[in-house]
Amino acid sequence: MRCEDPESMSFAEVAFIEPMACVVHAMNRLGVKAGDRAILLGAGAMGQQLIQTLVHSGVSELVVVDISTTKLELSKARGASRTIVPLF
């Protein structure tokens, strides 16, 4: 993707590019296919992007682990099959 006029991009759009590039790189390294199962440790900003990407790629089950119930609720809303709060 090429942006003809980078000055026209908002700060939020620019700030989104680098983390999303990392998510795309992770997806390429993982080689996820439709029907695969996945577990994600951490539901922060990049984790939320990864959740959406994994769901869009067709994973059959996605388990998300985080200590924040708020982040886990957001994960469920974005398509996680199951969420887990670890016990310490």
Side-chain angles (χ1 to χ4, degrees), residues 45-57:
M46 287 181 65
Q48 294 298 324
Q49 290 177 340
L50 194 50
I51 289 166
Q52 293 175 77
T53 307
L54 287 163
V55 169
H56 182 73
S57 73

Side-chain angles (χ1 to χ4, degrees), residues 7-21:
E7 296 297 319
S8 68
M9 296 178 73
S10 71
F11 178 79
E13 290 170 325
V14 172
F16 183 75
I17 292 171
E18 190 275 335
M20 195 61 209

Side-chain angles (χ1 to χ4, degrees), residues 32-36 53-61:
V32 176
K33 300 177 297 297
D36 285 351
T53 307
L54 287 163
V55 169
H56 182 73
S57 73
V59 295
S60 63
E61 182 179 13

